[in-house]
Amino acid sequence: MLEVMRWSQAGSVAVIALGLGVLSPTVLAQEWTGNIKQPQQASTAKALNLSEHLSRIGARFFGAWTCPACVRQMELFGKQAAVLVPYVECRMPEQRPNEAAACREAEVRAYPTWLLPDGQRKEGVQSIDELSRWSDLD
């Protein structure tokens, strides 16, 4: 079972995940500012590790605020890990022109689309386990 402890200080939230008696690294995250619906479930330790890993390696999750599958994808990460997911909003070109340009450059045809820096891509909702294998976390 995962226990998540949170406290807030100066606009940021510190999250400590305790799972199976092992303390994972402390994750410092911003409050939710995403365009899509904020996940409601708590993050697992594996989801927290994956979101940090994806961000660190430069992976990107291309999605749209209007996309139900993108909401499902983000929900798999859970509330705490979702703020760390390297999300790029494709459907707000006036509000987020740089992100919309990145979507065009990446030739995103479906949401969600995951892209690694080496050009490997996956389309559709992916499990945490599949993303972990695909991104060489596992």
Side-chain angles (χ1 to χ4, degrees), residues 44-109:
T44 65
K46 188 165 190 168
L48 285 165
N49 288 336
L50 177 60
S51 63
E52 290 176 317
H53 169 72
L54 292 170
S55 185
R56 186 174 48 252
I57 67 170
R60 292 181 289 170
F61 163 22
F62 295 92
W65 67 275
T66 56
C67 166
C70 297
V71 173
R72 281 194 307 278
Q73 180 70 81
M74 201 64 86
E75 189 66 42
L76 292 175
F77 280 91
K79 188 181 287 190
Q80 295 78 17
V83 294
L84 301 175
V85 170
Y87 178 75
V88 180
E89 174 59 54
C90 294
R91 298 282 305 225
M92 298 181 83
E94 291 182 18
Q95 298 90 338
R96 296 178 177 243
N98 292 340
E99 292 181 40
C103 296
R104 287 190 300 275
E105 183 180 314
E107 298 178 359
V108 174
R109 301 175 303 272

Side-chain angles (χ1 to χ4, degrees), residues 92-134:
M92 298 181 83
E94 291 182 18
Q95 298 90 338
R96 296 178 177 243
N98 292 340
E99 292 181 40
C103 296
R104 287 190 300 275
E105 183 180 314
E107 298 178 359
V108 174
R109 301 175 303 272
Y111 305 124
T113 293
W114 287 92
L115 189 63
L116 291 178
D118 67 4
Q120 291 182 66
R121 78 174 49 221
K122 285 209 168 270
E123 294 178 346
V125 177
Q126 307 297 317
S127 71
I128 297 299
D129 288 337
E130 176 58 30
L131 287 171
S132 294
R133 283 188 298 276
W134 176 67

